[in-house]
Amino acid sequence: MKDIDVIAVLQDPVRRRLYEYVAAQGREVGRNEAAEAVGVARTLAAHHLDRLAEAGLLESGSRRLTGRSGPGAGRPAKVYTRARVERSVSLPARDYRTAAELLAEVAEEAGLDAGLCAAARRRGESLRGAAAPCGGLEEAMEVLAARGYEPHLEGGEGGGGAQQGEGGRERVVRMRNCPFHAVAERFPPLVCGMNLALLEGLIGVDGPVRARMDARPGECCVVVEASKDNEH
């Protein structure tokens, strides 16, 4: 199926809401949960979820949602996650990815990391404009969401976050999507460093939050947390 046909599958409003819900969870989602989340019947949700899986927008599998196994545990339920395949449409046809990969290859071979990061930081500052550095994690999440990073908050009181501090109070913003994923896979040090510099410029380096590198499989290599200079 061509990318334009795949994206056309999302034209149905219920189907699109289901896709957006599953994509936002960052985990497997069952039919009952998805149906309840978007306010439709389970049978209708199942139809649309399977259609999304057929189009390659979701991946499907099965597991027991009860967490039990053996006799009496019930039948495995169908579950869905967002597909890892990237889809894009350009009319007329464009190939910016190849250009980006060629430029990244040359920059890496020439050792232009520092220059690239400086340019990325300036671009982030330009995108922020006259606005002050982000005043907190919630504001940073709004900025990141607008750029397509799909941020989510980990940690908090009793949250068990990866950057949990004493008493479980520290929180960290992780991002399910990297807008530069395809190129970052081929040139991780170069592109991840560029990404960090871009976000430093975008959210600010002198405010109460900071960006730092903390790569984790399946997510953006950068996280945002409270600045150490602003902790109490």
Side-chain angles (χ1 to χ4, degrees), residues 14-200:
V14 174
R15 195 174 296 155
R16 181 162 185 169
R17 293 204 309 272
L18 285 164
Y19 172 78
E20 290 173 344
Y21 178 78
V22 173
Q25 304 315 302
R27 56 173 173 79
E28 294 177 331
V29 175
R31 288 171 167 175
N32 288 339
E33 177 187 347
E36 184 176 348
V38 303
V40 299
R42 182 184 183 280
T43 52
L44 181 60
H47 166 74
H48 285 305
L49 289 167
D50 284 341
R51 184 72 182 91
L52 290 165
E54 290 169 5
L57 290 164
L58 296 180
E59 295 177 358
S60 63
S62 61
R63 66 176 178 87
R64 289 188 173 91
L65 299 178
T66 61
R68 296 181 298 164
S69 60
R75 296 177 58 187
K78 202 162 187 180
V79 292
Y80 304 83
T81 56
R82 180 170 59 181
R84 298 287 295 170
V85 178
E86 185 176 310
R87 305 285 186 177
S88 63
V89 173
S90 177
L91 297 173
R94 298 287 187 262
D95 190 4
Y96 299 113
R97 175 173 170 176
T98 296
E101 289 178 347
L102 288 171
L103 290 168
E105 182 178 345
V106 172
E108 187 173 74
E109 291 177 351
L112 300 178
D113 306 55
L116 177 61
C117 287
R121 191 171 290 107
R122 290 194 299 270
R123 174 58 63 91
E125 292 169 350
S126 175
L127 291 170
R128 178 158 52 92
C134 290
L137 293 180
E138 287 73 17
E139 183 179 346
M141 288 180 69
E142 293 179 5
V143 171
L144 294 167
R147 303 297 305 177
Y149 283 91
E150 298 182 6
H152 63 103
L153 193 62
E154 275 193 0
E157 190 66 40
Q163 298 299 317
Q164 186 182 76
E166 184 180 352
R169 291 186 296 273
E170 192 170 342
R171 301 181 299 170
V172 61
V173 175
R174 293 189 176 272
M175 293 164 267
R176 293 194 176 97
N177 182 51
C178 172
F180 316 109
H181 174 73
V183 186
E185 278 194 320
R186 288 197 58 190
F187 309 95
L190 180 77
V191 178
C192 290
M194 178 201 75
N195 188 26
L196 173 61
L198 177 70
L199 292 181
E200 285 176 339

